[in-house]
């Protein structure tokens, strides 16, 4: 035994279904397919390829089948590098906030410069060894009339180079 629903109830149900479909469509589709298509035609091929790579990387992260997929350092690096090349990256971003990408970029920038400044090569003369310092102190103690210039001259005869101010 089947129950026949009135036609107006069926019409209301179809309208509700259409409105729900319209509300749950992705952003670009709800703005109009033609507008999105025209926008894509006007963009360069490299921009479209970068955006595809950006979206593909997000899909790879989402396909890890967990509630909140953890982003690996290489994922973060990939996102930061792509956002620096993609002019409208904020519209293509789906799984993280734009502020998060900017924070990662700042962290990468800090890491790069911290690493770059740590490898500073010290210039100038190497420091005196403990044995050389002991020799200078001994010469000064045993020869009270010698000044720093005379001690420097005696050290040069032995092949030890140092300045007068170091001896002082």
């Amino acid at each position: 035994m089947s129950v026949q629903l009135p036609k107006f109830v069926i019409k209301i149900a179809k309208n509700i279904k259409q409105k729900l479909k319209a509300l749950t469509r992705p952003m670009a589709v709800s703005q109009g397919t033609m507008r999105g298509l025209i926008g894509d035609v006007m963009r360069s091929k490299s921009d479209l390829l970068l955006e595809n790579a950006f979206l593909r990387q997000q899909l790879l992260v989402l396909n890890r089948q967990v509630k909140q997929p953890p982003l690996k350092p290489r994922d973060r690096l990939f996102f930061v590098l792509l956002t620096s090349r993609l002019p409208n990256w904020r519209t293509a971003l789906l799984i993280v906030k734009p502020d998060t990408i900017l924070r990662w970029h700042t962290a990468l920038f800090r890491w790069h410069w911290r690493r770059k400044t740590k490898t500073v090569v010290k210039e100038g003369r190497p420091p005196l060894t403990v044995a050389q310092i002991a020799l200078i102190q001994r010469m000064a103690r045993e020869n009270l009339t010698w000044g720093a210039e005379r001690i420097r001259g005696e050290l040069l005869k032995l092949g030890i180079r140092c300045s007068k101010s170091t001896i002082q």
Side-chain angles (χ1 to χ4, degrees):
M1 179 173 179
S2 65
V3 177
Q4 292 273 338
L5 293 173
K7 288 183 180 181
F8 75 91
V9 174
I10 295 172
K11 193 174 183 180
I12 290 173
K14 283 183 180 178
N15 281 339
I16 291 173
K17 186 177 178 181
Q18 287 175 349
K19 291 197 187 241
L20 280 174
K21 275 186 179 180
L23 288 173
T24 57
R25 277 191 195 137
M27 188 77 120
V29 176
S30 67
Q31 291 175 350
T33 307
M34 287 306 290
R35 191 182 323 169
L37 180 65
I38 291 170
D40 286 345
V41 168
M42 301 301 252
R43 290 170 53 194
S44 68
K45 185 176 180 179
S46 62
D47 282 350
L48 290 172
L49 288 173
L50 283 171
E51 186 172 344
N52 281 344
F54 193 66
L55 292 169
R56 195 171 286 126
Q57 181 66 25
Q58 291 180 77
L59 286 174
L60 288 173
V61 171
L62 287 174
N63 283 334
R64 292 187 186 143
Q65 297 294 327
V66 290
K67 193 172 186 179
Q68 185 176 3
L71 291 166
K72 297 176 182 171
R74 73 165 184 256
D75 295 328
R76 294 176 182 190
L77 179 65
F78 190 74
F79 284 141
V80 168
L81 292 176
L82 281 179
T83 54
S84 67
R85 302 281 184 242
L86 193 59
N88 57 347
W89 60 272
R90 289 176 192 260
T91 59
L93 193 60
L94 300 174
I95 61 172
V96 291
K97 295 178 182 176
D99 293 340
T100 305
I101 297 281
L102 295 174
R103 191 178 72 237
W104 293 343
H105 183 270
T106 305
L108 180 65
F109 188 78
R110 277 194 198 121
W111 173 81
H112 169 72
W113 283 105
R114 207 175 283 140
R115 195 175 136 261
K116 192 167 183 164
T117 57
K118 275 187 180 178
T119 58
V120 174
V121 178
K122 292 185 178 181
E123 295 181 15
R125 287 195 191 116
L128 293 176
T129 63
V130 177
Q132 290 170 339
I133 293 171
L135 177 63
I136 292 170
Q137 289 173 343
R138 183 174 159 218
M139 290 172 84
R141 246 182 300 149
E142 291 178 1
N143 305 297
L144 295 174
T145 58
W146 289 4
E149 192 65 40
R150 174 81 186 264
I151 294 173
R152 180 176 179 270
E154 295 298 321
L155 289 173
L156 284 174
K157 290 178 189 174
L158 297 172
I160 301 171
R161 294 189 58 184
C162 64
S163 67
K164 177 183 165 187
S165 61
T166 303
I167 296 169
Q168 289 174 336

